Amino acid sequence: MNYNDDKINMTHGAGGEVMQDMISNVILSNITKTSVNGGIGLEQLDDSATIPLYDDHVVVTTIDSHTVQPLFFPGGDIGRISAAGTLNDISVMGVKPLSLNNAMVISEGFNKADFEKIIKSMDETCQEVGAAIITGDTKVIDKDKLDGMIITTAGIGIGKKENIVSDAGLNEGDKIILTGSIGDHGMAIMSQREGFGYETDLLSDVAPVWSMVEAAQSKGKITAMKDPTRGGIANALNEMSDKSGFGLYLDEDKIPIKPAVHAVSEMLGIDPYEVANEGKIVMGVEPDNAEAMLEAIKNTKYGANAQIIGEVTKDKYVLMETSFGGERIIEPPIADPVPRVC
């Protein structure tokens, strides 16, 4: 499937190959200037862009819109995900997020108590990393034109140029760290949508990841990072592999998946490797300090289940040794199988 269709459909915004085709063939082909001062820009399709300043510092910035349904889900809400999602896109560039800009489009008739809960949730999430919400915009639209609300957040971080990490920097021999269990966010939402009764057992992982990045940086060099949101770790790992020109070899037994995620995935026929996460990082690190970096991550609030799941190879594929002793190629997803999760 590609963008040759006349109409945009849900897969064009789902984070997989179809969306990448649309970005390349329609968006990038119609934009003249995509970067500033030689920094990482739109064309690199990284988690954020960078604007190098005229000293040793760099501004990191990103923007994201959030349409999650339901607005309140097990473990979080649209306020937490809109704050964490943008803070995390800054964090995985290797820089501490400083601020958010927040724009909200709200359906007429929206419950004021729910609205206040969402704002408080955004604030609490920002407080976890010491980020401020510094400006914003609020619009109300006819209730028949919008289902609930949409939140758009833009973020800014400032750091040293030497600390910037892109998603293209893997080197042969690097170890791959995954900071926790996969599929929690997408499957928590699907369990609620489908009424499977997992609401008390399965919670979204939505959380700010900066503490894990900071802990890892204190022990060694991070060569590449992504937060595996839409398209899951399958999409994130393939992007990192493609951009670096190296392959990955993974150990299935090292990739943590909760039993409830397995159960929901099997009932729905969804591959948990392709399901969105909202509080995890896929991280390439130099091998000499990999164990020390892993232990540092494990000692943070959200990193207790972190694992070294594989290493970077000369090959051109993301290959996984399965629990049964065979091998499986992890393909990039066509689209996220769980729509409207972020």
Side-chain angles (χ1 to χ4, degrees):
M1 186 174 185
N2 57 44
Y3 196 76
N4 290 330
D5 302 327
D6 292 333
K7 306 292 185 181
I8 290 175
N9 58 54
M10 292 294 289
T11 60
H12 289 109
E17 287 188 320
V18 175
M19 189 179 85
Q20 296 299 321
D21 286 346
M22 183 178 71
I23 291 171
S24 298
N25 297 330
V26 178
I27 297 175
L28 285 172
S29 64
N30 286 288
I31 294 177
T32 303
K33 187 173 182 179
T34 60
S35 64
V36 176
N37 292 348
I40 296 170
L42 181 60
E43 199 163 3
Q44 279 78 20
L45 300 180
D46 213 322
D47 289 291
S48 298
T50 66
I51 304 174
L53 303 178
Y54 297 103
D55 56 14
D56 61 348
H57 287 82
V58 62
V59 174
V60 179
T61 184
T62 192
I63 189 167
D64 202 359
S65 293
H66 306 271
T67 65
V68 62
Q69 282 293 331
L71 299 180
F72 295 88
F73 49 84
D77 56 49
I78 192 172
R80 183 163 177 80
I81 199 172
S82 62
T86 297
L87 296 171
N88 291 348
D89 281 347
I90 299 288
S91 298
V92 296
M93 302 298 289
V95 168
K96 183 181 185 298
L98 296 180
S99 66
L100 286 185
N101 303 337
N102 175 40
M104 297 174 290
V105 181
I106 308 163
S107 175
E108 180 185 20
F110 197 86
N111 185 281
K112 285 185 178 180
D114 286 345
F115 180 59
E116 187 172 9
K117 288 178 185 177
I118 288 166
I119 298 299
K120 286 181 176 179
S121 184
M122 293 184 72
D123 181 63
E124 290 167 359
T125 306
C126 288
Q127 285 186 48
E128 289 192 52
V129 299
I133 300 174
I134 60 172
T135 189
D137 183 45
T138 304
K139 297 288 194 303
V140 177
I141 195 169
D142 299 344
K143 60 184 178 182
D144 61 340
K145 301 293 194 303
L146 177 66
D147 178 17
M149 71 186 305
I150 293 173
I151 297 179
T152 297
T153 45
I156 295 175
I158 298 177
K160 295 287 188 71
K161 293 176 182 176
E162 64 190 31
N163 291 332
I164 294 297
V165 180
S166 78
D167 59 5
L170 293 177
N171 298 302
E172 184 183 355
D174 286 350
K175 300 297 183 181
I176 302 297
I177 294 176
L178 173 64
T179 62
S181 57
I182 65 168
D184 296 356
H185 176 68
M187 290 297 94
I189 287 181
M190 284 305 296
S191 69
Q192 180 165 332
R193 286 181 187 170
E194 300 297 326
F196 289 147
Y198 285 90
E199 288 87 348
T200 57
D201 297 325
L202 183 56
L203 302 177
S204 167
D205 63 342
V206 59
V209 301
W210 170 247
S211 62
M212 294 186 285
V213 175
E214 187 176 36
Q217 285 178 329
S218 73
K219 298 297 182 180
K221 181 176 175 58
I222 303 170
T223 58
M225 271 193 289
K226 286 197 79 68
D227 60 329
T229 53
R230 287 177 294 175
I233 67 167
N235 191 62
L237 291 167
N238 273 281
E239 279 195 41
M240 295 168 77
S241 173
D242 289 344
K243 290 182 178 182
S244 68
F246 291 104
L248 302 175
Y249 195 80
L250 312 175
D251 182 346
E252 184 176 28
D253 291 335
K254 297 291 185 181
I255 298 175
I257 306 179
K258 293 176 180 175
V261 170
H262 263 307
V264 177
S265 297
E266 288 179 0
M267 281 188 283
L268 296 175
I270 294 174
D271 185 346
Y273 288 79
E274 299 182 2
V275 174
N277 312 270
E278 291 293 340
K280 303 299 191 312
I281 311 169
V282 176
M283 182 185 296
V285 303
E286 292 185 340
D288 291 347
N289 296 312
E291 291 292 343
M293 297 170 79
L294 176 66
E295 288 306 309
I297 292 169
K298 282 178 171 288
N299 287 325
T300 65
K301 181 177 181 179
Y302 300 114
N305 296 315
Q307 293 282 349
I308 295 174
I309 64 169
E311 65 181 18
V312 180
T313 69
K314 289 181 179 179
D315 298 325
K316 303 300 181 183
Y317 301 100
V318 179
L319 193 63
M320 183 173 70
E321 182 180 358
T322 70
S323 299
F324 302 103
E327 292 182 339
R328 167 192 169 192
I329 293 177
I330 304 296
E331 298 279 4
I334 300 299
D336 193 330
V338 185
R340 296 195 70 181
V341 293
C342 59

